[in-house]
Amino acid sequence: MSRRHAVARVDLGAIRSNVAALAGGTSAEVMAVVKADGYGHGLVPSAQAAVEGGATWLGTALLDEALALRAAGLTGPRVLAWLMGPGEAWAEALQADVDVSVNAEWALAEVVAAARETGVTARVHLKVDTGLSRGGAAVADWPSLVVAARKAEAEGAVHVVGLWSHFAYADAPGHPTIARQADVFREAVAHAEGAGIDPEVRHLANSAATLTAPDQHFDLVRPGIAVYGLSPVPDVAGPAHYGLRPAMTLAADLVLVKRVPAGTGVSYGHTYTTDRETSLGLVPLGYADGVPRNASNLGPVLAAGRTRTVAGQVCMDQLVLDLGDDPAEAGDEVVLFGTGEDGGPTAQDWAAATGTISYEIVTRVGPRVPREYLA
């Protein structure tokens, strides 16, 4: 097999310590969110490290992700899958002991049918839309969903083990929507409990609320990006402030270094032109690997001892660096992002350069880039 001269190194010790730091900051249980292949870090290794760090729950968007965790032998923690559509493999979820989210009566009816088919009581989390206007039952529909859930509980088909919702604006601490959503959530919980539902957990807090809104932790918090050592509130404070350490380093070997004269156009469209005789370094990573194309002439890379920006357009499989007169040769490693402890760029630096969030930078690192796990 040919060698790929690029790697995403994932520090599992960082994930363990990040989860331990998050758990140490709350009296609630911790659900480590490992959706989207563990935010690009690897589903199963990230989940295992999170559990070792103290997570008692794991959260996924897709049922396939949850089933993969069970198939990998992660039978200890509770697992919740929440992005469910009509015709979902509910029976398979129940048989694998996966908790499922329900936000509409049609979904509850499908879960009940699966429970009857399998003879397994479904563990259900009812979700209410408190203001994100995405998933969750509308407030007006909540009472009827609660009634239907109580009927299903009386039959023994389901057990409502959770009540939950999701913040829209927790990454702006103090924003008025945070308190408003929390109030709506408390009212929805009170209504459900008044109707006879006795949940094990009530949960609302994502990474941002876990770190900045301790009064919204309830019984369970659901950190996602913070598990991987990135700050959900970079305008407030970076990872170190919260005791977090970035877990992923994206690096590659230079595969070519060559001298070119002043006035040399670089990459497609010659959007970069050398202003002197210089060395160009070729990096075997491009937008097919998850490097944003809009990082052209912007993305920071640590190479030959200092940080410099991508020279010219990011291509599908490669990008170019202007190395100046700094010593460099094929085989030398460059770092696109990492912990920042070496003075090099971080995922947040890439997010700032390209007008996005660090979540996107790490999750878009594609499967062509091998993951190397550091214990």
Side-chain angles (χ1 to χ4, degrees):
M1 180 182 294
S2 65
R3 179 186 174 203
R4 184 73 205 278
H5 294 270
V7 65
R9 297 191 187 96
V10 178
D11 184 348
L12 298 178
I15 292 176
R16 285 191 290 271
S17 67
N18 293 337
V19 172
L22 293 163
T26 181
S27 59
E29 291 188 70
V30 174
M31 174 189 290
V33 179
V34 294
K35 63 179 181 175
D37 196 32
Y39 286 56
H41 294 67
L43 173 68
V44 172
S46 296
Q48 290 172 330
V51 170
E52 290 165 3
T56 53
W57 291 72
L58 296 170
T60 70
L62 307 181
L63 177 56
D64 283 352
E65 297 168 327
L67 294 175
L69 293 174
R70 290 298 195 222
L74 282 156
T75 57
R78 296 301 330 163
V79 176
L80 170 65
W82 56 71
L83 190 56
M84 320 292 276
E88 202 72 56
W90 304 104
E92 195 172 350
L94 272 54
Q95 290 169 327
D97 194 27
V98 171
D99 290 20
V100 295
S101 177
V102 165
N103 57 22
E105 288 186 62
W106 66 259
L108 182 64
E110 291 195 6
V111 171
V112 169
R116 291 169 180 164
E117 173 191 342
T118 61
V120 177
T121 298
R123 288 174 53 92
V124 167
H125 296 237
L126 299 182
K127 185 177 185 183
V128 60
D129 180 6
T130 56
L132 181 58
S133 302
R134 199 176 64 177
V139 170
D141 298 329
W142 184 247
S144 61
L145 180 59
V146 167
V147 168
R150 282 294 295 131
K151 181 179 178 182
E153 280 197 316
E155 177 188 330
V158 308
H159 177 204
V160 179
V161 298
L163 301 172
W164 75 295
S165 190
H166 197 62
F167 279 122
Y169 225 144
D171 55 351
H175 194 277
T177 60
I178 298 171
R180 286 203 297 269
Q181 281 194 255
D183 287 343
V184 173
F185 182 63
R186 289 185 174 90
E187 291 170 5
V189 168
H191 178 89
E193 292 178 341
I197 287 176
D198 183 21
E200 296 174 10
V201 289
R202 305 151 189 83
H203 48 111
L204 180 61
N206 55 5
S207 283
T210 299
L211 294 173
T212 68
D215 53 332
Q216 312 300 355
H217 286 188
F218 294 91
D219 307 301
L220 177 68
V221 294
R222 304 188 310 269
I225 198 65
V227 168
Y228 309 97
L230 299 174
S231 174
V233 286
D235 293 338
V236 177
H241 177 80
Y242 299 108
L244 306 175
R245 189 169 84 251
M248 182 189 287
T249 296
L250 179 62
D253 295 337
L254 293 172
V255 294
L256 177 67
V257 177
K258 60 187 176 185
R259 295 293 288 180
V260 299
T264 298
V266 178
S267 195
Y268 291 122
H270 287 181
T271 61
Y272 182 88
T273 302
T274 62
D275 60 5
R276 68 208 181 289
E277 182 181 350
T278 190
S279 293
L280 298 180
L282 187 62
V283 180
L285 285 169
Y287 58 79
D289 304 297
V291 179
R293 189 171 184 272
N294 70 337
S296 301
N297 294 307
L298 294 171
V301 180
L302 179 63
R306 61 189 179 91
T307 298
R308 55 200 84 220
T309 56
V310 173
Q313 293 285 348
V314 173
C315 306
M316 184 179 290
D317 313 295
Q318 53 204 294
L319 58 87
V320 180
L321 302 174
D322 186 340
L323 302 172
D325 296 323
D326 293 327
E329 60 184 18
D332 288 353
E333 184 176 86
V334 303
V335 175
L336 278 73
F337 61 79
T339 64
E341 294 169 357
D342 55 1
T346 64
Q348 180 56 42
D349 292 329
W350 273 78
T354 57
T356 186
I357 55 177
S358 62
Y359 307 54
E360 182 179 355
I361 297 300
V362 292
T363 57
R364 68 184 296 156
V365 176
R368 293 203 313 180
V369 182
R371 270 50 170 184
E372 177 183 303
Y373 293 99
L374 310 177

